[in-house]
Amino acid sequence: MVVETLAVAVWAMLPAYVPNNAAVLVGGGPPIDGGRTYGGRRLLGDGKTWRGTAGGIVAGVLLAVALDAVRPAVVAATGLDLPGFPLSAAVALAAGALLGDILASFLKRRAGRERGAAFPGFDQLDFVVVALLSTAVVAPAWVGRVFTLPVVVVVLVVTPVLHLSTNAGAYLLGLKEEPY
Ligand code: CTP
Ligand code: MG
């Protein structure tokens, strides 16, 4: 029961987890804000690029398609009731995760924090909250069925742990400039 809740939470959120990591790998090039400023500070900053955003969405959607393809085999092997991914949910999870990260950068810049500065709490949960809300808008029935209250609670607890550990790993591998 607990194992299944944890498995469903991580499985269903994987298409939202991967886009930010993929953006770190493929990011670069022209920033989304085109260098524009607002109130004397960058609108978003050089850390939010078109390439990173597009690459992140593609990575998240491809992962959802792959999970969907292996789902029958995984369900047969584990007996866990893991959900499939309608395309609308896949796109919303991936795009919503990046939108959350972009909105957090907007707020960070307004709060006077430079690119790369830590924003505890926001850094770890911005993308989950916006990914879930976006998906609830485009695929409400799917979200209602998959994200039961226990699953949502597990997502909110497990995501910061996963986020901090993957970022620390990316930092140690030299892929990211800060360990958070
Ligand atoms: N990235 C990107 N496009 C995005 C998100 C991330 O290109 N939409 C890439 C950038 O190269 C960025 C790196 O991934 O520097 C790390 O992402 P993140 O930690 O979110 O950005 P920061 O550089 O820390 O900037 P910010 O302070 O605005 O979060
Ligand atoms: Mg950062």
Side-chain angles (χ1 to χ4, degrees), residues 7-169:
V8 168
V10 173
W11 171 275
M13 287 305 286
L14 272 172
Y17 287 155
V18 164
N20 286 296
N21 298 305
V24 173
L25 296 178
V26 304
I32 295 173
D33 68 9
R36 275 185 282 275
T37 57
Y38 175 70
R41 297 183 184 278
R42 285 289 294 276
L43 202 55
L44 302 173
D46 285 331
K48 307 296 123 157
T49 67
W50 289 112
R51 203 165 76 205
T53 306
I57 293 174
V58 169
V61 172
L62 286 181
L63 181 70
V65 170
L67 290 176
D68 217 47
V70 300
R71 188 179 82 98
V74 176
V75 170
T78 62
L80 294 166
D81 185 16
L82 301 169
F85 293 93
L87 192 60
S88 58
V91 173
L93 284 167
L98 288 159
L99 178 63
D101 179 56
I102 289 169
L103 290 173
S105 286
F106 175 79
L107 293 177
K108 273 198 215 177
R109 300 299 93 82
R110 306 289 72 74
R113 297 182 195 223
E114 298 302 329
R115 172 189 178 184
F119 206 176
F122 270 86
D123 280 335
Q124 287 74 41
L125 285 172
D126 51 18
F127 67 99
V128 207
V129 173
V130 179
L132 279 180
L133 291 177
S134 309
T135 312
V137 171
V138 291
W142 185 81
V143 168
R145 185 157 37 80
V146 175
F147 290 94
T148 57
L149 188 59
V151 170
V152 171
V153 171
V154 169
V155 166
L156 294 179
V157 173
V158 167
T159 302
V161 177
L162 284 176
H163 187 254
L164 287 171
S165 43
T166 49
N167 282 356

